[in-house]
Amino acid sequence: MNATPTLGFLLHDVARLLRKRFEQRAKCLGLTRSQWQTLAYLSNNEGIHQSGLAEILEVEPITLVRILDKLAERGLIERRQHPSDRRIWLLYMRDEAHPLLAEMRELGDITRAEALEGISAEQREQLFHILSVMKTNLVQACRTPVDENEMNDG
């Protein structure tokens, strides 16, 4: 077996280690990883309904409900009823969450700086460009059904 990691394994490991390092720094904030991820995504999608946020976070809606309950108990988020559909709850950040979010962003900046240490500005730009192109390629590919022959051959 080849000792050189594949691109997928390397990307996974880098992402895992970024999360781990951020968690080490963010422990003092008293949030779980799922709670800070939920806050981060909600901050960019205020007014979204619970099932939409669950889809973005790639978690089951019932799992997200538990996370949201904890965040609401801490006074960080609020649920508001949809104006025309009583079954739907819309999610919003509370003012109390903004200082916490600012701390999270600062810790994220520190963690990314640690990860990118020794990498020149030009290399960083190239890395972001390559990863952006890869993401675009994969988003487009995921919209295309996999050919049956391709599934049987692989």
Side-chain angles (χ1 to χ4, degrees), residues 2-77:
N2 190 349
T4 304
T6 64
L7 176 63
F9 278 105
L10 186 58
L11 288 172
H12 180 268
D13 282 347
V14 169
R16 178 183 56 79
L17 290 166
L18 277 168
R19 285 189 305 270
K20 180 178 181 174
R21 186 61 173 153
F22 179 86
E23 286 173 10
Q24 288 173 338
R25 291 184 183 288
K27 191 178 252 182
C28 63
L29 301 178
L31 294 173
T32 64
R33 177 194 311 171
S34 56
Q35 289 170 340
W36 58 255
Q37 284 178 323
T38 299
L39 280 178
Y41 278 96
L42 180 57
S43 71
N44 293 322
N45 296 282
E46 282 201 81
I48 193 170
H49 53 85
Q50 290 182 182
S51 60
L53 185 58
E55 189 176 313
I56 290 171
L57 290 167
E58 296 181 343
V59 298
E60 292 297 319
I62 190 67
T63 302
L64 180 60
V65 167
R66 291 186 200 111
I67 296 166
L68 294 172
D69 287 346
K70 296 286 185 190
L71 293 172
E73 285 172 22
R74 283 191 60 177
L76 300 174
I77 63 125

Side-chain angles (χ1 to χ4, degrees), residues 13 25 59 79 82 85 106 108 126 134 154:
D13 282 347
R25 291 184 183 288
V59 298
R79 296 173 170 109
H82 190 279
D85 190 339
E106 188 176 319
Q126 191 175 22
M134 288 174 63

Side-chain angles (χ1 to χ4, degrees), residues 3 6 37 49 59-60 78 88 92 120 124 131 135 149:
T6 64
Q37 284 178 323
H49 53 85
V59 298
E60 292 297 319
E78 64 181 295
I88 297 175
Y92 292 89
S120 71
R124 290 177 190 201
L131 290 173
K135 179 181 175 181
N149 294 331

